[in-house]
Amino acid sequence: MEAYNSGKEGMAEIVFFDLETNVPNRAGQRFWILEFGAIVVCPQKLVELESYSTLIRPKDLSVASLKPSRCDGITRAAVANAPSFEQVADQIFTILNGRVWAGHNIQRFDCIRIKEAFAEIGRPAPEPVGMIDSLGVLTEKFGRRAGNMKMASLATYFGLGQQKHRSLDDVRMNLEVLKHCATVLFLESSLPNLLNGKWQDSPQIMTRSRTNGKFPSREEASRKSPPITSIGYQRKSPPVTIGYQRTVPCTRGSLGKVTESVRNLLCKAQGKQPLNSLLKHSHTLLR
């Protein structure tokens, strides 16, 4: 498996990986790896460079379910003829060793299972040059706006479909979730006064439940949302005066009548006291 040259010396590649295991249901039962999947990603373009996945036959076949408990389809029959971990250890070592490891909750689960599996066959485990655990990163940077921060919840939040619980599908979904989260955080940092990381709680977003089944009028909507011309800057608005201001109604066509009345007044004021006459008649006009 050839390493990808990123074009910059010292630029490490990122490998997203995921394990599917049995779920221990009795005391003393251990985790066994049933499937390994990984993709190598260019850190500059976030494009997939290579991938590898394989089902793995556990030493104790009884840990694999006769029927799939989820939509993953990993059954005892599926792994019965799969290679053992020892048979695929070289490929797993090559794709993991010396790269940045990335995945969801890998620090507390997947990394431990990898070390256990290599220790069991008496071989040194691969070593990362860095670690990106998207569970911790997203919890800190993105917050719990998507709920419990499980991959299935994040995928649902962004409309990416249902998590399949297959290693290769899950790592690709993991990468897409990170792209979506990064985009949202970028937009919020570009427009902090408007977005400020609170899209889901923003009073600008009006729903039927918040308006008692009625959507706001066009005037109300324009008042709540200043015009935006492009990402990164906001069109300057005229200064706003806070306070009460009396509104003088003006019906359609009345402007011409007012102009005509003022012109007549000016004509009558000629030869007399123009200023006093104008003031006197203007009070009558504007009453």
Side-chain angles (χ1 to χ4, degrees), residues 208-263:
R208 285 186 176 272
S209 60
R210 293 189 180 186
T211 57
N212 295 324
K214 298 180 180 179
F215 288 108
S217 65
R218 182 177 300 178
E219 181 182 355
E220 292 172 339
S222 63
R223 207 166 48 232
K224 293 177 183 293
S225 305
I228 304 300
T229 56
S230 68
I231 297 297
Y233 73 96
Q234 179 177 342
R235 188 164 61 211
K236 291 184 179 180
S237 301
V240 177
T241 303
I242 300 175
Y244 175 78
Q245 184 177 1
R246 182 179 176 183
T247 302
V248 179
C250 183
T251 59
R252 181 179 297 179
S254 61
L255 183 58
K257 296 179 180 179
V258 171
T259 304
E260 184 67 22
S261 299
V262 171
R263 186 171 60 184

Side-chain angles (χ1 to χ4, degrees), residues 87-108:
Q87 290 174 305
V88 296
D90 285 340
Q91 292 94 318
I92 293 176
F93 185 92
T94 301
I95 202 168
L96 291 180
N97 193 52
R99 287 183 166 126
V100 176
W101 291 7
H104 204 66
N105 197 31
I106 57 173
Q107 284 186 299
R108 292 190 294 179

Side-chain angles (χ1 to χ4, degrees), residues 22-200:
N22 66 305
V23 179
N25 53 19
R26 63 176 183 270
Q29 191 178 40
R30 53 164 288 184
F31 287 98
W32 291 90
I33 299 176
L34 302 180
E35 188 178 42
F36 173 89
I39 59 172
V40 178
V41 174
C42 170
Q44 297 158 304
K45 300 181 179 179
L46 297 181
V47 294
E48 184 177 321
L49 304 174
E50 60 179 292
S51 64
Y52 174 74
S53 66
T54 180
L55 289 169
I56 297 173
R57 184 181 72 250
K59 286 186 176 180
D60 183 4
L61 267 177
S62 66
V63 301
S65 303
L66 289 171
K67 295 181 179 181
S69 57
R70 298 182 298 195
C71 61
D72 53 21
I74 299 180
T75 62
R76 190 176 302 176
V79 299
N81 297 319
S84 65
F85 184 83
E86 189 171 8
Q87 290 174 305
V88 296
D90 285 340
Q91 292 94 318
I92 293 176
F93 185 92
T94 301
I95 202 168
L96 291 180
N97 193 52
R99 287 183 166 126
V100 176
W101 291 7
H104 204 66
N105 197 31
I106 57 173
Q107 284 186 299
R108 292 190 294 179
F109 187 79
D110 302 75
C111 295
I112 296 173
R113 306 285 88 82
I114 287 290
K115 290 181 178 179
E116 289 175 348
F118 275 93
E120 188 177 15
I121 63 175
R123 292 185 52 174
E127 294 291 339
V129 296
M131 187 86 64
I132 303 173
D133 192 323
S134 56
L135 176 61
V137 171
L138 295 183
T139 301
E140 177 186 354
K141 302 294 184 181
F142 193 69
R144 294 186 176 273
R145 64 182 87 183
N148 58 18
M149 301 304 288
K150 291 183 178 180
M151 184 55 58
S153 302
L154 289 162
T156 300
Y157 181 83
F158 288 113
L160 297 176
Q162 186 178 10
Q163 184 183 7
K164 296 182 179 180
H165 295 286
R166 296 301 300 264
S167 295
L168 205 54
D169 292 318
D170 285 2
V171 292
R172 285 171 175 153
M173 177 174 280
N174 195 173
L175 177 59
E176 290 304 311
V177 163
L178 281 176
K179 288 179 181 178
H180 279 69
C181 289
T183 301
V184 171
L185 293 174
F186 169 76
L187 292 174
E188 291 176 349
S189 65
S190 300
L191 299 170
N193 294 331
L194 294 179
L195 307 180
N196 198 27
K198 297 180 180 179
W199 284 10
Q200 73 281 11

